[in-house]
């Protein structure tokens, strides 16, 4: 609601004093009132009850079209997703991150949006989405929607009108146009494999338009206030339906200035602050996750003073976890964590091992990138842009111990873990599919036709299911792993259940112990909250080597405590002032709760979980 509309509404009301009070909030972007006689300002609550719920969340990233097809057309849809929510609830995830599901030509898997306030007909209807949202909330799962605001599809009505409108008109100014392609010359090209310039000539408009990504994705012009208003209108549309947050794609590139790299400009942060203020003013318990692929100190401004994004991905950590594993040396991990600044109390890092994009190597040195290519992508078809387009299990040679080790790090490092669909069962990829589509194949539910994903004839599937002997759906699927208590799926469910018992993982501090053996990564997670009478201390010890490793840890500050292995509830010898010795098998990881020594070494009830 614009300020004029707000004034008209309040003028027609008897509550003139309420208007005076509300005008303060309206400046911050608030314009929502109840229909009650008092016209009191009311924020719309999200489905979570804790404002910091995202700190303790287990986020599961999925594509609607890849998860479950309900109508036999070969494309996943919202009714199909609803039918699988019980599986996700039993897995233990608490937040679902949906990749773009809006109307789109699908030239970039939905990241080329043609309508911000509707659902792609292939995935269902808006009513189907509402039913999904309600079903997820009934299962205490929040929903995170991916919103791409840096650019649209060239098929969006805004761009169609823009290219037909005269220069200087309101319609033309929705996008970034120029008579020359010589401005912003120093800005790097993101998709170097396919794009030769960030400018594309439009024959209809007789001008160049700006795009940081593909040429069919023109960038919006955030110097135009009307663009900001339309973006906020789209956000409010989904928030009013009840979504719990947004993942904002590519936000460092929102504003352009000549003579700069057109990334992370002050004007960009001003836009993010306005988005955050508008959301906070009208809604509660919602959050924003930023995709800002930058060094940690460069990401810090995206948190602002707890007035920009609630959460940001920690991109540089991810490749260094793989590097440390291959080098059998903890230094890449401890080094990048040492470079990670303290963030505001209300903010959080988003951690991941893999996702829908390539394993990005933008935040590494040239030598490190060469090493990662050598170590993890021997076949050139596994590479794209500045990264590696492979799933977690293939990257780790389908080695169960390595997969468990890296997931143990993901679940125990400071931040919120984000899992990619199918990684909980060790799904493979298809490097013969183009672009980044090799990691976006249908979910493998069982060994029936089309992996239980769809009843369509195989030729109708949006992408073929994986069928090779190692990674195929007959070898790797949910049904078979549910029946096997020793499967990766059961292990993952157990680890998630264990992590959810302890707030220390999402909210506690981190301290590395730095033993002499650099093949061992040891760190303490501590959380002390007097308000809830919570005191948790967890020792995590990981062997990055393919061989057994000994380690001695200085735990003298905890002398007298009993380390309890958390998965099996096994008490270890009491800690003394002497170095504490441990021996770790290849690629193994201990989580040890350091409990005060009771008169009898019984485990505390808070440490128990049925696994």
């Amino acid at each position: 609601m614009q300020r004029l509309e707000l004034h008209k509404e309040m003028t027609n009301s008897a509550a003139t004093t309420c208007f005076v009070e509300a005008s303060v909030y309206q400046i911050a972007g608030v314009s929502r009132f109840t229909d009650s006689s008092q016209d009191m300002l009311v924020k719309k609550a999200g489905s979570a009850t804790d404002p910091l719920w995202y700190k303790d969340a287990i986020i599961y990233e999925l594509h609607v079209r890849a998860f479950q097809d309900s109508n036999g057309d070969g494309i996943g849809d919202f009714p199909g997703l609803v039918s699988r929510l019980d599986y996700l609830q039993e897995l233990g995830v608490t937040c679902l991150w949906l990749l773009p599901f809006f109307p789109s030509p699908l030239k970039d898997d939905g990241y080329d949006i043609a309508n911000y306030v509707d659902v792609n007909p292939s995935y269902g209807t808006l009513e189907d989405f509402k039913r999904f949202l309600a079903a997820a909330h009934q299962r205490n799962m929040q929903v995170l929607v991916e919103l791409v605001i840096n650019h649209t599809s060239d098929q969006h009505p805004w761009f169609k009108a823009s290219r037909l409108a005269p220069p200087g008109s309101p319609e033309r100014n929705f996008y970034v146009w120029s008579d020359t392609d010589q401005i912003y010359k120093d800005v790097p090209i993101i998709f170097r494999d396919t794009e030769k310039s960030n400018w594309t000539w439009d024959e209809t408009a007789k001008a160049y338009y700006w795009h940081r990504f593909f040429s069919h994705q023109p960038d919006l012009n955030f110097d135009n206030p009307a663009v900001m208003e339309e973006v906020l209108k789209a956000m409010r549309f989904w928030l009013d339906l009840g979504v719990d947050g947004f993942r904002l794609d590519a936000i460092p590139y929102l504003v352009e200035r000549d003579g700069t790299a057109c990334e992370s400009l002050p004007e960009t942060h001003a836009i993010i602050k306005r988005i955050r203020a508008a959301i906070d003013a009208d809604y509660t318990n919602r959050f924003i996750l930023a995709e800002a692929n930058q060094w940690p100190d460069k990401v810090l401004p995206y948190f602002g003073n707890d007035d920009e994004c609630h959460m940001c991905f920690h991109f540089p950590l991810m490749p260094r976890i793989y590097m440390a594993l291959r080098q059998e040396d903890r230094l890449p991990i401890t080094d990048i964590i040492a470079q990670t600044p303290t963030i505001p109390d209300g903010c959080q890092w988003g951690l991941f091992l893999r996702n829908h994009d390539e394993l990005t190597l933008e935040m590494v040195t040239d030598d490190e990138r060469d090493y990662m290519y050598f170590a993890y992508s021997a076949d050139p078809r596994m590479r794209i842009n500045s990264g590696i387009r492979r799933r977690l299990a293939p990257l780790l040679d389908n080695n169960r111990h390595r997969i468990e080790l890296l997931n143990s790090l993901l679940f125990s490092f400071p931040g919120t873990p984000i899992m990619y669909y199918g990684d909980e069962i060790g799904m493979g990829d298809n490097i013969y599919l183009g672009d980044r589509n090799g990691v976006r194949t249908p979910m493998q539910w069982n060994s029936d036709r089309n992996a239980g994903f769809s009843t369509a004839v195989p030729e109708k599937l949006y992408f073929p299911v994986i069928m090779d002997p190692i990674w195929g759906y007959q070898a790797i699927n949910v049904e078979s792993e549910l029946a096997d208590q020793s499967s990766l799926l059961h292990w993952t469910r157990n680890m998630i259940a264990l992590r959810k018992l302890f707030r220390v993982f999402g909210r506690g501090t981190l301290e590395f112990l730095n033993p002499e053996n650099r093949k061992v990564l040891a760190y303490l997670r501590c959380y002390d909250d007097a308000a809830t009478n919570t005191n948790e201390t967890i020792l995590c010890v990981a062997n990055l080597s393919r061989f057994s490793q000994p380690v001695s840890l200085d735990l003298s500050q905890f002398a007298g405590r009993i380390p309890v292995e958390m998965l099996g509830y096994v008490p270890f010898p009491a800690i003394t002032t002497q170095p504490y010795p441990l021996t770790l098998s290849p690629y193994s990881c201990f989580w040890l709760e350091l409990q005060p020594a009771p008169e009898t070494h019984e485990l505390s009830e808070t440490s128990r979980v049925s696994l």
Side-chain angles (χ1 to χ4, degrees), residues 537-549:
T537 303
I538 308 295
L539 169 65
C540 301
V541 189
N543 179 9
L544 302 172
S545 171
R546 62 194 185 279
F547 302 114
S548 296
Q549 296 294 326

Side-chain angles (χ1 to χ4, degrees), residues 283-570:
Y283 308 91
T284 61
N285 301 346
R286 316 299 176 96
F287 91 117
I288 304 171
L289 169 58
E291 185 206 27
N293 192 352
Q294 313 276 350
W295 289 99
D297 61 321
K298 302 297 183 183
V299 174
L300 185 61
Y302 286 93
F303 295 112
N305 187 22
D306 203 1
D307 60 354
E308 291 195 29
C309 298
H310 302 79
M311 186 184 299
C312 295
F313 291 111
H314 199 314
F315 276 100
L317 174 62
M318 180 266 302
R320 283 165 179 81
I321 291 176
Y322 290 95
M323 198 178 304
L325 179 68
R326 188 54 65 104
Q327 294 178 350
E328 300 188 359
D329 190 330
R330 65 174 182 258
L331 182 61
I333 294 174
T334 56
D335 180 60
I336 196 64
I337 294 295
Q339 298 180 48
T340 301
T342 301
I343 60 178
D345 289 341
C347 297
Q348 181 79 312
W349 290 108
L351 309 180
F352 64 101
L353 296 174
R354 288 298 299 113
N355 60 22
H356 62 289
D357 284 333
E358 68 270 27
L359 191 163
T360 178
L361 300 176
E362 290 184 75
M363 294 296 107
V364 298
T365 66
D366 291 341
D367 287 342
E368 289 172 335
R369 184 178 301 110
D370 290 343
Y371 178 80
M372 288 290 289
Y373 279 147
F374 170 79
Y376 288 105
S377 59
D379 189 331
R381 285 171 294 196
M382 299 174 183
R383 307 172 190 174
I384 189 171
N385 300 318
S386 296
I388 301 170
R389 56 190 197 107
R390 303 227 70 186
R391 269 188 176 268
L392 175 64
L395 279 168
L396 302 179
D397 302 320
N398 206 22
N399 185 306
R400 171 73 176 272
H401 296 298
R402 292 183 184 179
I403 295 171
E404 291 182 0
L405 173 62
L406 263 59
N407 275 306
S408 296
L409 300 181
L410 174 69
F411 291 143
S412 60
F413 276 170
T416 296
I418 301 169
M419 301 175 58
Y420 189 49
Y421 83 94
D423 281 353
E424 74 273 19
I425 61 172
M427 266 181 64
D429 49 40
N430 183 352
I431 64 173
Y432 299 99
L433 292 176
D435 195 24
R436 293 162 289 183
N437 295 325
V439 301
R440 303 176 184 181
T441 57
M443 181 67 176
Q444 295 170 192
W445 294 107
N446 56 45
S447 59
D448 293 341
R449 185 176 71 171
N450 300 328
F453 163 75
S454 173
T455 59
V457 295
E459 291 77 12
K460 285 185 66 177
L461 300 186
Y462 76 93
F463 286 142
V465 294
I466 298 174
M467 293 181 288
D468 72 62
I470 297 176
W471 304 107
Y473 66 90
Q474 292 178 326
I476 299 174
N477 62 72
V478 169
E479 184 178 78
S480 63
E481 295 203 20
L482 283 175
D484 179 5
Q485 292 294 319
S486 64
S487 67
L488 177 62
L489 176 57
H490 274 284
W491 180 90
T492 305
R493 288 170 63 171
N494 291 345
M495 292 299 286
I496 290 175
L498 182 59
R499 187 190 193 277
K500 287 165 68 175
L501 288 178
F502 294 85
R503 281 198 163 184
V504 64
F505 293 117
R507 308 194 186 202
T509 60
L510 171 73
E511 177 188 351
F512 288 114
L513 294 182
N514 299 318
E516 289 185 9
N517 188 346
R518 285 176 40 167
K519 297 180 184 297
V520 175
L521 177 68
Y523 49 101
L524 290 163
R525 302 298 318 278
C526 300
Y527 179 69
D528 191 0
D529 182 10
T532 59
N533 196 27
T534 302
N535 189 299
E536 297 171 351
T537 303
I538 308 295
L539 169 65
C540 301
V541 189
N543 179 9
L544 302 172
S545 171
R546 62 194 185 279
F547 302 114
S548 296
Q549 296 294 326
V551 67
S552 293
L553 303 174
D554 181 4
L555 300 176
S556 56
Q557 61 178 312
F558 303 106
R561 292 207 187 188
I562 306 295
V564 178
E565 197 280 317
M566 295 165 61
L567 263 179
Y569 322 118
V570 179

Side-chain angles (χ1 to χ4, degrees), residues 150 190 212-213 219 250-256 262-264 268:
N150 177 71
I190 295 174
R212 284 307 307 272
F213 293 86
D219 278 24
I251 61 169
Y253 315 118
L254 297 182
V255 177
E256 303 78 25
C262 296
E263 295 183 16
S264 305
T268 295

